[in-house]
């Protein structure tokens, strides 16, 4: 429906108006994606009074529930679009050259599939959220680029796809970038004040990467099971959000609240989280901002999916990472270290790692064509001259997440954001 509305808009609107609207939508997507990461990290640094003495809001499981609630808003977007009279007869695959799609999926299979997808999303988002507790927001944002590695590997293993040599080269470049970024976080803990130890920084980095492993598994399951079915992507994301929210509040939160720990006697006390939110207006504002950023980032990502090329998505995610990092640095020195993150002697390693990550993304999406300089780089899969949309390439079903937004991916992700054409689209956002 969103694709049809965009096409109709372009047909009946002046070119300049169409460009302005597209620019505003992209700016909104970039803004909400950045706000997603910033508000998530800020919550961890805000102190409030709960059921026990004042302490910081270190509640990754509660944030996961908020994330799912944001994703579920996509169902409201879908109903609004449908109520505006937009037809919704095409599936996510019907407009990309696939055969006529299956008109529907049985209700039991659909419920079971969304349950599995929600569990993957739950694991990926929470693991990455716990990792964010122990490392910087900019490191968190960059390490989410590891999803490109797992998505490519799963595509080769489960779909028997062949990758060109330049894509394997891109993955190698991405790995180098991730190592530099991880090292910068671990080594910065030895010089920066009021930061977790290098052991906890390392643990945080590993948990973030583990979260991307779970999210990449989710992408592969979605592609394998949803391909060919007439299902609006807003319904897919919204349904996963509803399922995930119900699972989190009925199963996950009661379990973590019953496990003994240092959070008012529990591993993570949900009642304490609710009291902390009501006792601190700034914390509540950041919590609601996180929820809204997830909702709007997903909606904008799905709306713009057909309008953006791989170049656009790469630039947006690169700008998002730079914006998050710059804002965190300014915030740190403006608040005298209360919030944000500092510039350390090892931040130069992070700059180098960021450069490798951007280069890896450009190589993987075939924006930089290595075969022009090294002919054999185009061998090993589809012909070297094939465009970036070549269907033989591994599919990266992004956040873009979550905000986490995914990322999306794209970036990645509100925490994780699929796109209407992503079942057959090889582009990967690695930042």
């Amino acid at each position: 429906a969103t694709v049809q509305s965009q096409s109709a808009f372009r047909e009946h609107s002046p070119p300049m108006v169409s460009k302005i609207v597209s620019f505003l939508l992209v700016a909104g997507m970039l803004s909400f994606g950045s706000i997603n990461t910033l508000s998530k990290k800020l919550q961890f640094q805000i102190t409030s009074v709960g059921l026990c003495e004042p302490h910081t809001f270190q509640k990754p499981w509660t944030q996961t529930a908020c994330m799912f609630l944001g994703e579920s808003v996509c169902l409201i977007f879908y109903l609004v679009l449908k109520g505006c009279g937009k037809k919704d007869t095409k599936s996510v695959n019907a407009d990309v050259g696939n055969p006529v799609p299956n008109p529907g999926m049985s209700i039991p299979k659909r419920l079971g599939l969304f349950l599995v997808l929600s569990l993957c999303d739950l694991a990926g988002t929470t693991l990455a959220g716990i990792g964010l507790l122990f490392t910087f927001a900019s490191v968190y944002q960059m390490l989410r680029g590891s999803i490109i590695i797992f998505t490519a590997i799963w595509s080769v293993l489960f779909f028997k796809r062949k990758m060109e040599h330049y894509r394997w080269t891109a993955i190698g470049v991405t790995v180098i970038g991730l190592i530099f970024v991880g090292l910068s976080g671990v080594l910065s803990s030895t010089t920066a004040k009021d930061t977790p130890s290098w052991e906890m920084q390392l643990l945080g980095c590993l948990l973030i990467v583990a979260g991307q492993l779970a999210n990449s598994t989710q992408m592969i399951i979605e592609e394998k099971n949803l391909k060919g079915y007439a299902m609006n992507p807003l319904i897919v994301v919204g349904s996963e959000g509803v399922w995930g929210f119900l699972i989190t509040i009925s199963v996950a939160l009661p379990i973590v609240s019953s496990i003994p720990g240092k959070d008012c006697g529990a591993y993570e006390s949900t009642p304490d989280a609710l009291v902390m939110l009501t006792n601190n207006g700034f914390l509540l504002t950041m919590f609601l901002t996180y929820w809204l950023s997830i909702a709007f980032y997903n909606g904008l990502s799905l709306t713009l999916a057909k309008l953006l090329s791989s170049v656009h998505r790469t630039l947006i995610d690169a700008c998002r990472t730079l914006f998050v990092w710059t804002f965190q640095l300014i915030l740190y020195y403006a608040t005298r270290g209360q919030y944000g993150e500092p510039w350390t002697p090892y931040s130069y390693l992070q700059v180098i790692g960021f450069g490798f990550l951007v280069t890896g993304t450009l190589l993987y999406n075939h924006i930089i064509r290595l075969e022009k300089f090294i002919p054999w780089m185009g061998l090993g899969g589809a012909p070297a001259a094939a465009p970036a949309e070549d269907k033989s390439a591994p599919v990266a079903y992004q956040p873009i997440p979550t905000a986490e937004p995914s990322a999306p991916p794209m970036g990645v992700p509100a925490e994780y954001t699929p796109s209407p054409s992503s079942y057959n689209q090889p582009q990967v956002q690695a930042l």
Side-chain angles (χ1 to χ4, degrees), residues 187-237:
L187 295 176
S188 294
S189 63
T190 62
T191 59
K193 297 180 180 179
D194 301 324
T195 58
S197 63
W198 71 267
E199 294 93 344
M200 299 308 295
Q201 288 269 5
L202 178 59
L203 176 61
C205 293
L206 294 176
L207 288 174
I208 294 171
V209 173
Q212 305 318 297
L213 173 61
N215 283 142
S216 65
T217 303
Q218 177 187 358
M219 296 176 188
I220 296 300
I221 295 175
E222 284 178 331
E223 182 193 359
K224 186 175 181 62
N225 292 275
L226 292 180
K227 190 173 184 178
Y229 283 99
M231 196 175 299
N232 190 289
L234 286 171
I235 295 180
V236 175
V237 177

Side-chain angles (χ1 to χ4, degrees), residues 27-37 292-294 296-297 300 320 403 405:
M29 179 179 169
L30 173 61
S31 300
F32 285 117
S34 302
I35 291 171
N36 172 267
T37 299
L292 289 174
S293 67
I294 291 287
F296 283 100
Y297 181 80
L300 289 173
R320 176 184 174 186

Side-chain angles (χ1 to χ4, degrees), residues 109-341:
K109 183 177 179 180
R110 181 180 300 188
L111 294 178
L113 177 60
F114 286 147
L115 173 62
V116 173
L117 295 175
S118 299
L119 290 175
C120 291
D121 204 357
L122 173 65
T125 301
T126 307
L127 285 173
I130 297 174
L132 181 58
L133 277 172
F134 307 127
T135 192
F136 302 127
S138 60
V139 173
Y140 162 85
Q141 187 70 33
M142 294 182 192
L143 287 179
R144 292 176 66 189
S146 59
I147 197 169
I148 184 178
I149 303 170
F150 301 120
T151 304
I153 293 175
W154 291 162
S155 296
V156 172
L157 291 178
F158 295 107
F159 294 105
K160 307 302 180 183
R161 293 191 174 102
K162 293 182 179 180
M163 287 206 304
E164 302 89 334
H165 291 156
Y166 72 83
R167 292 192 190 273
W168 286 116
T169 303
I171 291 176
V173 172
T174 302
V175 170
I176 295 174
L178 294 172
I179 292 174
F180 271 103
V181 172
L183 279 176
S184 70
V186 172
L187 295 176
S188 294
S189 63
T190 62
T191 59
K193 297 180 180 179
D194 301 324
T195 58
S197 63
W198 71 267
E199 294 93 344
M200 299 308 295
Q201 288 269 5
L202 178 59
L203 176 61
C205 293
L206 294 176
L207 288 174
I208 294 171
V209 173
Q212 305 318 297
L213 173 61
N215 283 142
S216 65
T217 303
Q218 177 187 358
M219 296 176 188
I220 296 300
I221 295 175
E222 284 178 331
E223 182 193 359
K224 186 175 181 62
N225 292 275
L226 292 180
K227 190 173 184 178
Y229 283 99
M231 196 175 299
N232 190 289
L234 286 171
I235 295 180
V236 175
V237 177
S239 299
E240 291 176 12
V242 172
W243 266 107
F245 180 73
L246 293 176
I247 295 172
T248 304
I249 63 173
S250 63
V251 179
L253 289 181
I255 290 177
V256 296
S257 295
S258 62
I259 298 175
K262 298 180 180 180
D263 187 27
C264 294
Y267 174 74
E268 181 178 323
S269 174
T270 303
D272 178 65
L274 298 176
V275 175
M276 292 180 72
L277 289 170
T278 57
N279 287 338
N280 190 309
F282 182 42
L283 175 60
L284 180 60
T285 300
M286 288 298 100
F287 190 80
L288 294 177
T289 299
Y290 178 64
W291 168 63
L292 289 174
S293 67
I294 291 287
F296 283 100
Y297 181 80
N298 277 279
L300 289 173
S301 297
L302 295 173
T303 300
L304 287 168
K306 282 290 185 181
L307 302 180
L308 299 180
S309 67
S310 59
V311 178
H312 294 136
R313 285 187 287 269
T314 301
L315 291 176
I316 288 175
D317 270 355
C319 291
R320 176 184 174 186
T321 302
L322 289 176
F323 183 84
V324 168
W325 196 3
T326 302
F327 187 85
Q328 284 287 96
L329 290 172
I330 295 174
L331 190 62
Y332 179 84
Y333 294 104
T335 61
R336 298 182 180 181
Q338 184 176 4
Y339 304 112
E341 63 185 71

Side-chain angles (χ1 to χ4, degrees), residues 347-384:
S347 294
Y348 294 102
L349 294 176
Q350 191 172 349
V351 175
I352 296 173
F354 177 69
F356 273 103
L357 290 175
V358 173
T359 302
T361 303
L362 294 174
L363 288 172
Y364 192 92
N365 290 337
H366 218 194
I367 299 170
I368 297 178
R369 295 176 177 264
L370 283 180
E371 67 273 11
K372 290 184 177 181
F373 311 97
I374 310 175
W376 59 267
M377 275 295 176
L379 303 178

